[in-house]
Amino acid sequence: MEEERQTHRAGTVQTSGAVRPRLRGDVYFAAMPDGAFVRSTRGSLFLKGASVHRLLTALTPALTGAATLDELLAAVPDPQRAPVRQLVGTLLERGFVRDTGSDRPHTLGADDAERYAAPVQFIDYFTDSAERRFQDFRAARLVCVCGPDAARGFLSALTDCGAGELTLVLPDADDVRTVRHFADSLPEVPAALTIVPAPNGAEPADWKALLLPADVVLHLADRPGADAREAVGGWCARLEIPLVQGLVVGDAVWIWPVCTPAADAPDTDGKGNGYGDGYGYRYGGVAWRRLLATRSDDERRALRAGPSPDELYRGPVPELAAIQLAFRAFCHLTGVAMPELAAMARLDTATLEIDHHPVLAPSGALDSDAGADSGSDSGDFRDEPGPARRVQLLRAAEPVPDPLFLERLTAACDRHLGPIPEVRERDYPQLPLFVTEARVADPGLRTAPRAVWGAAQTAHEARAHALRRAAATALELARQASPRPASEPGWDLVAGRARPLPVPGNGRYAHGIAAEADLDRSALAGTLAALARLVPEHATGDAADGAVAKGAAGEVVGEASAGPVPLAELAAADRNCVELLTTTGARWTVHRVASPAAALPAYAFLLDGATVAVQVHPDARTALSAGLHDTLLAWQLARHRAESAAPEATGHDTAGELPAVQPRLAASDGADQLDATLAQVRAAGLCAVLQVLDDDPALAELVRFGIRVVIGDA
C-alpha cells in the first residue's frame, strides 16, 4: 500500500463528547523534534506540536472504548481538555481511533478476550462490534469435509481462530482414527470436536442429517470422490447453508469464495449451470464454468473427474489449502470484508504460492432500476417492454471511450478464469502494423478458446480494436450458451419498436456483433457487419464487373459508375497500407461488390485469391480503409505463420464465417451514419433488429454497449 503521509496541526478537528474512542491495535507513534509521527497499516500522519507526543503517551492507555470522550476529559486538567479533544478528533478522522459507541453488546469473558486478542483485533481493524462478532464465531457450528491431511490444517487453524464447535467428516474409518490420534497430541482443540466418516454415497439423505446443523460448510476435495463433491454442493444449495469449497486441479488448488444463499440463489434447473457436479450456487457455478471454458477438452474431462486415486496430495498442500478455507469461513462468519475474499484463490502445488483471480459472476442487470426488463432470464425477453427498456438504458448511459474500456476490461482478461483468457502481442511481429491477438473462452464448452485480432498504426489502437472484438465475441458466446425462448423480441432500429428477431432459413438473414464506445456506434457497427455477411458469396470472388483493383501505380481505381477513389484522396494510413501491400509483392485485389442495400458502398478484399475481408459503409473511403487494414493484417499474419512454421489460424469472430466482417468505424461515425445506413436498409426491404447482449451481466456491465444486430426481410 502506498504510504500516505500528511501533516496536521493539533487543534484543528472538533468531535462529540459522546464517542467512545478506541485506539486500533496496529497503531504506533514516535516522538519527533517538533511533534509526533503516527503510523498504522492505514497510512501515516505527522502531528505538529510541542506537547503532542506527551499527550499521546498519557492518553493512549485510556483509549479502550470503555469510556466516552467526556468521561475521559473529566480526568484531564482544564487547560489540556481542548487540545486532547482536538487530538482525539484528528485520530478519529484519520482512522487511527474508532468510535465503539454503536458496538453491539457481548458477553465475551475476560479470559477469552485475552487469549484471542489477535483474532479480535483483526476483526476490529475491518469492522465494528469485534467482541460480539468473535463471540458469534465461537458459537458457530462448522462442518469440514476433507481428507486426513487437510483435516490437520482445519483443526489447527480453526482452533487458533477460536472455533468452539467443529465436525470433521473424513473419507473412511482409518482416516478417522488417524486424525483422532493427531487431535490427542494437540494442547488445545475446540470444546465440541466430532470426527466422523463420510456418509455412504448410496445414502445421500445421510448428508442432509450431517450438514443441516452447520452454520457454514468447508469442503476440500483433496481425495478422489466426485460423488462427495456433488453431494456436499447439492445439499448446501438445498439447505441454504453457506459453503466454502476448494478443489485440487492438476498443479493447483482452487478455492472458491464463500457461496451464500443470501447473495446467490441456488441453481434449480438441474443442467443450466453447466458445471455438472453440484456446486449448487450461482457464483460457484460461474467460477467452475469459467475454469472449464479456458481448458482443452482433455483438461475439462480431467477437471470433472477430480483427483486420481494414485495422486493423493499429502504434506503441506492440503494443509495450506485448509488454512485458506478456514480463513474465508472466519471472515464470512465475523463480517470481515476484503477484496481478495471475493476472488478465487489459486494455491500452486509446486511453489506453494497463492494468487487471486477475480470471477465475473452474475451481478444483476445493467441498471438497478431496470427491474425484470433487463434481467438475463429467458422469461424477461417475452415481455415487449424488455427490448425498449434495454435500449433506453443504453441510450442514457455515458460513453465508454477506449482508455476507460481497456481499464475496465482488465478484470475480464485472466488466463484461468477470464472470458478473455489470453491477450498476446509479443508473439507477433509488430511491423508494419501493430498486432494484438485476444482469445475468447466459450462458456458453452462447445469449442476451445477462439482467436480474434486487432491491428492498427499504434499499439494502443490495435489493443483496443482486438479487445472490443473479443468483448463482443464473448458476449455473443454467452448468449449462445444461455437458454433462449422460441420467439425472442429485439428492438427494430428501422421501425423504432419491439419485434421478434428474424430467424435463419426464413428469407435473407445475417447478424453482426459489436461493442463500441456508445449505442449509436455499436448499432452502426453491428448493422454494417450483418450487411457484409449478406454480400452474395460469388460476388466476393468475381473481379469482372464493377471491380476496383490495384493499379500499376498503386492507385485504387475503378469504373466511373463504381465511384473510383484515387490514392491521393485516401488518408495517409490507408495510402501506407496500399504502398506496403504493393512493395511486398502481395497478391491482393479489391472488388466493388453488390451491396444488400444498393446505395451503400461494399468492397471485398482478396489475398492470394481468398477473401480476407468484406466491408460495407456509407462512406466509401471508410470502407476501403477498414478493408485495407484487414488485408494488410491478413498478409502480416500469413507471413508470420510461414516464417514461424505455425499452424494455420482457425479462430474467427464466428465459426464458419468470413474472417473479417467487423467494421473499423471512423472517429466521427455515430448517429448520422447510423441514420443513413438504416435508411438504405429500409429501402432494400430489410429490417435491422438490435438485441442487447447481457446474458453475462457482469461482462455486459464492463463492456456496456455490447449488442447484436440481426438483418432480415421486413
Side-chain angles (χ1 to χ4, degrees):
M1 181 180 68
E2 183 179 352
E3 181 179 311
E4 181 185 1
R5 177 173 176 174
Q6 296 184 9
T7 300
H8 278 246
R9 181 178 296 275
T12 61
V13 179
Q14 297 290 334
T15 190
S16 167
V19 302
R20 293 180 176 271
R22 177 161 71 185
L23 190 70
R24 294 187 183 274
D26 62 340
V27 176
Y28 67 90
F29 55 92
M32 302 293 285
D34 55 349
F37 182 75
V38 184
R39 182 175 175 83
S40 77
T41 54
R42 295 173 179 266
S44 61
L45 176 68
F46 177 68
L47 294 171
K48 190 173 183 179
S51 62
V52 170
H53 184 263
R54 178 175 55 82
L55 288 176
L56 281 171
T57 303
L59 182 63
T60 51
L63 297 180
T64 63
T68 66
L69 180 57
D70 282 344
E71 291 170 346
L72 293 176
L73 292 175
V76 176
D78 288 343
Q80 294 181 339
R81 287 180 182 176
V84 169
R85 179 186 296 275
Q86 292 156 354
L87 177 60
V88 171
T90 298
L91 296 175
L92 278 166
E93 179 191 36
R94 296 301 307 277
F96 297 108
V97 167
R98 77 172 189 85
D99 178 16
T100 64
S102 60
D103 283 1
R104 290 180 292 164
H106 66 88
T107 58
L108 190 66
D111 290 343
D112 283 345
E114 181 178 357
R115 179 184 303 176
Y116 299 109
V120 171
Q121 286 184 4
F122 176 80
I123 300 169
D124 185 61
Y125 179 81
F126 291 95
T127 186
D128 58 8
S129 307
E131 290 84 357
R132 173 59 181 270
R133 292 175 185 273
F134 180 74
Q135 175 185 314
D136 292 344
F137 171 75
R138 291 272 288 163
R141 294 161 296 186
L142 308 175
V143 174
C144 301
V145 183
C146 58
D149 294 293
R152 287 194 285 269
F154 279 126
L155 187 55
S156 299
L158 292 172
T159 298
D160 291 342
C161 287
E165 186 171 344
L166 175 63
T167 298
L168 296 173
V169 183
L170 302 171
D172 51 49
D174 290 339
D175 294 326
V176 170
R177 286 190 290 270
T178 299
V179 175
R180 279 180 178 159
H181 180 71
F182 172 75
D184 292 339
S185 69
L186 296 177
E188 183 182 8
V189 296
L193 174 63
T194 305
I195 307 175
V196 297
N200 189 297
E203 300 293 339
D206 292 343
W207 280 108
K208 179 178 180 180
L210 183 64
L211 301 178
L212 184 60
D215 292 299
V216 66
V217 172
L218 302 88
H219 181 211
L220 178 62
D222 70 328
R223 295 288 296 266
D227 291 342
R229 258 192 344 267
E230 182 174 356
V232 172
W235 277 114
C236 285
R238 295 184 186 94
L239 300 174
E240 298 186 348
I241 301 172
L243 168 69
V244 55
Q245 202 158 29
L247 175 64
V248 177
V249 176
D251 60 351
V253 180
W254 284 97
I255 300 169
W256 270 252
V258 178
C259 298
T260 61
D264 304 290
D267 190 328
T268 57
D269 63 9
K271 60 182 179 179
N273 52 34
Y275 48 87
D277 62 357
Y279 279 87
Y281 295 92
R282 183 175 296 178
Y283 190 103
V286 169
W288 181 241
R289 176 183 285 278
R290 293 214 190 279
L291 192 62
L292 292 176
T294 58
R295 299 310 202 268
S296 66
D297 289 341
D298 290 341
E299 290 172 327
R300 290 171 188 166
R301 284 191 289 270
L303 290 178
R304 287 192 174 101
S308 165
D310 298 328
E311 298 177 355
L312 302 183
Y313 283 86
R314 299 287 184 180
V317 172
E319 292 193 31
L320 286 175
I323 292 171
Q324 286 291 311
L325 267 69
F327 175 70
R328 292 187 175 219
F330 175 82
C331 291
H332 167 72
L333 289 170
T334 57
V336 170
M338 303 170 64
E340 55 265 36
L341 297 177
M344 291 276 284
R346 181 181 184 273
L347 170 62
D348 191 300
T349 59
T351 65
L352 301 184
E353 295 180 350
I354 295 174
D355 53 10
H356 294 89
H357 301 262
V359 179
L360 294 180
S363 59
L366 291 177
D367 190 291
S368 60
D369 297 330
D373 291 339
S374 60
S376 59
D377 295 336
S378 59
D380 296 336
F381 291 93
R382 298 188 181 96
D383 299 328
E384 187 171 335
R389 180 60 172 154
R390 287 182 175 84
V391 171
Q392 180 186 8
L393 289 170
L394 291 189
R395 288 203 184 282
E398 291 293 327
V400 184
D402 284 349
L404 178 59
F405 176 80
L406 293 177
E407 180 182 346
R408 284 183 174 183
L409 214 60
T410 55
C413 299
D414 183 281
R415 67 189 181 96
H416 294 292
L417 299 173
I420 305 174
E422 191 173 17
V423 179
R424 298 193 297 182
E425 292 167 326
R426 294 182 180 179
D427 293 344
Y428 291 94
Q430 299 297 294
L431 289 172
L433 294 176
F434 288 92
V435 178
T436 298
E437 177 194 346
R439 293 192 172 270
V440 185
D442 180 1
L445 309 181
R446 301 178 304 275
T447 63
R450 62 183 65 184
V452 297
W453 287 272
Q457 303 293 327
T458 68
H460 178 84
E461 291 175 338
R463 190 176 303 117
H465 183 56
L467 289 179
R468 284 199 180 276
R469 298 179 68 180
T473 303
L475 289 169
E476 167 72 357
L477 290 172
R479 189 203 70 85
Q480 295 175 8
S482 301
R484 315 302 304 175
S487 178
E488 181 181 348
W491 182 255
D492 191 327
L493 292 168
V494 175
R497 60 178 177 84
R499 63 166 291 166
L501 292 175
V503 295
N506 186 19
R508 291 174 289 181
Y509 174 88
H511 77 276
I513 56 176
E516 296 291 331
D518 58 47
L519 182 60
D520 286 337
R521 287 176 63 85
S522 284
L524 174 63
T527 302
L528 294 175
L531 289 171
R533 288 192 172 97
L534 278 181
V535 169
E537 189 171 332
H538 68 277
T540 63
D542 185 358
D545 297 328
V548 179
K550 176 177 69 68
E555 291 187 340
V556 180
V557 300
E559 296 179 352
S561 61
V565 180
L567 178 63
E569 296 185 15
L570 294 176
D574 305 328
R575 293 199 302 272
N576 187 43
C577 286
V578 172
E579 291 167 1
L580 287 169
L581 287 168
T582 302
T583 56
T584 56
R587 296 164 51 199
W588 66 283
T589 53
V590 185
H591 301 252
R592 178 70 180 264
V593 293
S595 172
L600 294 178
Y603 297 94
F605 299 79
L606 279 67
L607 183 66
D608 293 329
T611 302
V612 294
V614 174
Q615 294 292 337
V616 179
H617 196 280
D619 178 64
R621 289 172 180 79
T622 304
L624 283 168
S625 174
L628 288 170
H629 276 78
D630 283 334
T631 304
L632 185 56
L633 169 63
W635 172 84
Q636 193 167 329
L637 293 176
R639 186 191 66 172
H640 169 65
R641 286 191 293 268
E643 293 176 351
S644 62
E648 191 70 18
T650 58
H652 302 319
D653 284 351
T654 304
E657 296 190 341
L658 294 175
V661 294
Q662 186 67 34
R664 297 169 180 262
L665 300 184
S668 59
D669 281 347
D672 292 343
Q673 290 75 18
L674 176 60
D675 290 342
T677 300
L678 294 178
Q680 298 305 317
V681 169
R682 181 188 295 108
L686 295 167
C687 65
V689 184
L690 180 145
Q691 176 193 14
V692 178
L693 296 177
D694 55 4
D695 298 270
D696 187 332
L699 180 59
E701 194 169 348
L702 295 178
V703 176
R704 182 58 72 174
F705 299 103
I707 59 92
R708 184 174 190 262
V709 176
V710 179
I711 297 289
D713 289 316

